[in-house]
Amino acid sequence: MYNEKVMEIFKSPKNVGEMENPSAVGSVGNASCGDIMKIFLRIENNIIVDASFLTFGCAAAIVTSSTATEMIKGLSIEDALKITNKQVIDALEGLPAQKIHCSVLAEEAIKSAIDDYKSKL
Ligand code: FES
């Protein structure tokens, strides 16, 4: 069901784990499957210098978390807000149609973390 690239990332996802003293944390859940994703950001001078995640969810949710956290490292918070689940899916060379909703979690978790950051400014 998953392509090779997705399987490769699933076997060794990047940026897994809770971050110590993050600048911001975003947490979102998918009501239909009950999966939860948490994203941790370290932000310096408006730039995301580090990102990590904890995902209690399916393979697609783990793989999209890994890819999304890789994609936002080095971006300004404004540019990170522009990352869409479609871009994450493209970077993964596709996801099965029934797994597209899982990739939305990553986009939403990034937005939630950035909202958290802005609320503390
Ligand atoms: Fe819940 Fe994929 S099935 S996030």
Side-chain angles (χ1 to χ4, degrees), residues 2 29-30 32-37 55-62 64 98-103 105:
Y2 292 116
N30 181 314
S32 59
C33 63
D35 291 346
I36 296 170
M37 185 184 294
T55 294
F56 305 96
C58 71
I62 290 167
T64 51
Q98 69 272 31
K99 288 286 165 188
I100 301 293
H101 74 275
C102 315
S103 66
L105 274 185

